[in-house]
Amino acid sequence: MKRRATAEPADRAAAILQGFDVAGFRCRLVDWFRHQQRDLPWRRDRDPYKIWVSEVMLQQTRVETALPYFLRFVERFPTVEALAAAEEADVLKLWEGLGYYSRARNLLRGARQVMEEFGGVLPDDPEELARIKGIGPYTAGAILSIAYGRPVPAVDGNVLRVLSRLLLVEEDVQKPGTRRLFTQLAAALVCPDDPSAFNQGLMELGALVCTPRAPKCLLCPVREDCRAYAAGRERELPAKGKRKAIPTVDMVAAVVWRGAAVYVYRRPEGGLLGGLWAFPDGERRADEAWEAAAARILRERYGLAVAVSGPLLDVVHTFSHCRWNLRVFQCAWVAGDGAAPDGRWVEVDKLDELAFPASHKKIVAALDGETVSARRGALR
Ligand code: SF4
């Protein structure tokens, strides 16, 4: 049933929870989690730093993908202190391929802030934790409940999905007001005796059982509590408004050869993929020939005169806000030293020392001769 949009989230949460067996649900979920949880490295101790790193990595990223990155990261930077002392380039290199690089930069800034303001220890106070760069309400809730045993909610996309089904809440989960409602619901549900197992149990249930497209209701430990299952409506939830279609942008990039070196530049801080290295690139104009676009962009933006010698590969890369159709050309240098503020000529066998975003990492791989033919023809 739709609730009145004008009611305060706390009132609406109380109305939704009427008749719900909160105590029974907590027991069933916590018991299931204690017996069925996956053995994950950040669960082996309650180190707030490791929980922080894992939660940041797991935003927008699956556990299987994040796992090797996490292990490498905490081996190289085992403490807040070690991370705070790191160079940003080294942090980005370890993050290379994981995407959403602002997460890595904020983690580094947050670690430096924890050293300066909190003596290297993540605070267990919600307001102090919320002041740290890159720690939003979800990450704060995860750290407080898992590391410090504080009975606070931690609501991410998985938890939104589980609660919307469990309690048959039909509001659009993408609206800010709805997120406040779910935070109220999670706060009312969280188990005061074991908030760590409860919050991780909700996350684990969303990851393993109450999955987005095909929830495994017959295996679900809280099926008897679930209102969507009882109504046969679990696949209709969570309710989401229509997403806007993201625009596609035609981009060119160039591998400009000068002897055994190629030209690369460091993308400006604060912009898309800021702080990462890239081959010279830019947007193709409507109706402009691809080769002509490559020559124009190299001349106008990078001060390089080149002879374009042919396409190397095509890459399609989707961001949250747009999609790149990227065509990469090989070029022979003719004149110019390169005008990018942070540009340089790098021997091709030294490229592996720099951190590139996933789309440009494919260019580096293509230069190894591994993926050239496989990547051609990918543009739509
Ligand atoms: S019964 Fe199905 S829909 Fe309900 S919480 Fe369990 S898996 Fe999700």
Side-chain angles (χ1 to χ4, degrees), residues 111-346:
R112 289 175 178 163
Q113 192 182 350
V114 172
M115 287 307 295
E116 285 163 18
E117 296 181 27
F118 303 104
V121 180
L122 275 160
D124 64 355
D125 176 82
E127 286 181 12
E128 289 184 335
L129 208 49
R131 288 201 344 245
I132 296 169
K133 185 79 185 166
I135 295 189
Y138 167 74
T139 308
I143 294 169
L144 288 166
S145 60
I146 300 170
Y148 296 124
R150 300 278 298 260
V152 295
V155 179
D156 69 349
N158 269 340
V159 172
L160 280 177
R161 181 174 64 255
V162 173
L163 293 185
S164 72
R165 290 171 175 167
L166 181 78
L167 299 166
L168 196 56
V169 179
E170 296 175 273
E171 278 96 333
D172 181 350
V173 293
Q174 291 168 340
K175 291 188 175 166
T178 312
R179 190 166 276 263
R180 286 197 292 277
L181 170 63
F182 279 100
T183 302
Q184 290 284 348
L185 289 167
L189 289 173
V190 68
C191 174
D193 298 329
D194 195 344
S196 169
F198 180 88
N199 280 346
Q200 291 186 85
L202 270 186
M203 298 170 197
E204 196 81 333
L205 192 71
L208 300 180
V209 180
C210 196
T211 48
R213 289 195 191 84
K216 303 175 184 74
C217 299
L218 294 180
L219 301 174
C220 181
V222 295
R223 192 177 65 223
E224 68 188 86
D225 302 295
C226 183
R227 292 173 177 169
Y229 177 75
R233 299 187 52 202
E234 64 275 6
R235 287 176 192 243
E236 297 170 27
L237 295 167
K240 289 182 182 170
K242 272 199 178 159
R243 284 201 172 185
K244 277 196 221 155
I246 57 169
T248 297
V249 181
D250 285 343
M251 299 281 293
V252 291
V255 178
V256 180
W257 290 94
R258 190 180 188 180
V262 295
Y263 189 74
V264 292
Y265 76 104
R266 199 164 165 269
R267 297 178 69 94
E269 297 288 348
L272 181 67
L273 307 172
L276 295 169
W277 289 86
F279 293 85
D281 56 356
E283 198 172 325
R284 183 177 80 113
R285 291 176 182 151
D287 302 327
E288 190 179 24
W290 288 91
E291 285 89 344
R296 174 185 59 77
I297 289 164
L298 288 166
R299 187 178 64 249
E300 290 179 359
R301 292 183 55 174
Y302 300 94
L304 293 168
V306 301
V308 180
S309 54
L312 173 66
L313 80 162
D314 294 337
V315 178
V316 178
H317 188 81
T318 304
F319 298 93
S320 54
H321 65 291
C322 75
R323 181 186 356 234
W324 277 1
N325 275 346
L326 179 69
R327 178 158 291 181
V328 185
F329 290 90
Q330 303 237 50
C331 304
W333 173 80
V334 174
D337 282 333
D342 208 348
R344 66 172 75 154
W345 296 91
V346 176

Side-chain angles (χ1 to χ4, degrees), residues 61-124:
T61 306
R62 295 169 61 83
V63 165
E64 303 75 38
T65 308
L67 206 48
Y69 283 90
F70 174 84
L71 294 172
R72 281 196 296 269
F73 199 91
V74 296
E75 188 183 350
R76 177 83 180 275
F77 307 121
T79 60
V80 174
E81 188 177 6
L83 177 58
E87 295 289 333
E88 184 180 286
D90 294 334
V91 175
L92 289 174
K93 184 65 188 165
L94 273 181
W95 210 271
E96 188 181 55
L98 205 50
Y100 299 94
Y101 295 92
S102 58
R103 295 181 298 174
R105 284 191 294 273
N106 285 337
L107 191 59
L108 176 58
R109 284 182 202 137
R112 289 175 178 163
Q113 192 182 350
V114 172
M115 287 307 295
E116 285 163 18
E117 296 181 27
F118 303 104
V121 180
L122 275 160
D124 64 355

